[in-house]
Amino acid sequence: MVLLVDDEREALVALEDALVSLGYRVTTAVNGAEALAKAALVRPDIVVTDLLMPVVDGISLATALRSN
């Protein structure tokens, strides 16, 4: 499972479409806070995140995920 995180919807959809077409299971989030909640539920194998986002940025998201 891939968790994609980006506040730009167009980029998020493009990445999701590309990964799904390659056979990956994908879930998405539009900010770090949403990503943390989804990560707790789906336990992704990898997280691909934007750095600059509202609410919780990519660096803070990575830090929080690593601490878990």
Side-chain angles (χ1 to χ4, degrees):
M1 171 67 67
V2 178
L3 174 56
L4 293 176
V5 190
D6 198 323
D7 60 323
E8 294 184 30
R9 296 269 184 192
E10 296 82 17
L12 196 60
V13 169
L15 287 169
E16 180 181 20
D17 289 348
L19 289 172
V20 167
S21 74
L22 293 170
Y24 291 96
R25 293 182 310 128
V26 177
T27 191
T28 63
V30 295
N31 61 56
E34 183 181 348
L36 286 171
K38 286 190 175 185
L41 295 174
V42 300
R43 308 291 294 174
D45 298 301
I46 189 166
V47 177
V48 178
T49 185
D50 185 13
L51 291 179
L52 301 174
M53 296 181 293
V55 186
V56 175
D57 66 21
I59 299 295
S60 298
L61 170 61
T63 301
L65 290 172
R66 283 189 195 127
S67 71
N68 254 344

